[in-house]
């Protein structure tokens, strides 16, 4: 899974740098609401995850979890953080 997260974060960082017009990720970095657009998505996806879990919908749980992780990585990138910051915090909690 580490490789998957690293690869995804690398794509996010690339989109932040190059801002391709047809990229959803790039649109989050240039959105008129700024960081609030990502924060709203995190809230929305969290609610959807809770509902999917409540209904025991495994596929939806996986899909909504992936949406949360993706938007979390975008937020980390927006804040000038990276996976190492997240890993360090998780490691400190072991």
């Amino acid at each position: 899974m580490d490789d998957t997260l690293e690869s995804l974060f690398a794509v996010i960082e690339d989109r932040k740098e190059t801002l391709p017009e047809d990229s959803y990720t790039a649109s989050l970095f240039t959105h008129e609401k700024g960081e609030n657009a990502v924060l709203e998505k995190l809230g929305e996806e969290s609610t959807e995850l809770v509902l999917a879990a409540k209904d025991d919908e495994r596929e939806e749980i996986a899909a909504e979890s992936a949406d949360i992780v993706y938007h979390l990585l975008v937020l980390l990138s927006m804040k000038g953080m990276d996976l190492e910051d997240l890993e360090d915090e998780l490691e400190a909690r072991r």
Side-chain angles (χ1 to χ4, degrees):
M1 178 139 174
D2 282 343
D3 289 343
T4 302
L5 291 179
E6 288 176 13
S7 294
L8 177 56
F9 195 75
V11 169
I12 290 168
E13 290 284 278
D14 179 68
R15 297 297 193 275
K16 179 172 113 176
E17 190 71 28
T18 61
L19 298 174
E21 287 184 33
D22 61 343
S23 166
Y24 172 71
T25 302
S27 74
L28 292 171
F29 287 102
T30 59
H31 199 284
E32 64 186 29
K33 289 184 179 180
E35 162 184 313
N36 283 344
V38 174
L39 298 176
E40 288 173 12
K41 286 301 289 183
L42 279 167
E44 174 189 321
E45 301 302 345
S46 296
T47 300
E48 291 173 0
L49 174 60
V50 168
L51 294 174
K54 183 178 176 295
D55 293 338
D56 286 325
E57 296 177 359
R58 290 180 55 85
E59 287 182 23
E60 284 298 309
I61 291 169
E64 300 306 337
S65 295
D67 287 344
I68 288 172
V69 170
Y70 162 77
H71 287 94
L72 173 63
L73 295 180
V74 171
L75 180 64
L76 290 177
S77 178
M78 281 182 165
K79 294 296 190 179
M81 300 172 72
D82 59 31
L83 285 179
E84 189 174 318
D85 294 306
L86 177 59
E87 291 167 352
D88 289 347
E89 181 61 30
L90 291 171
E91 199 54 43
R93 295 179 181 207
R94 287 178 79 175

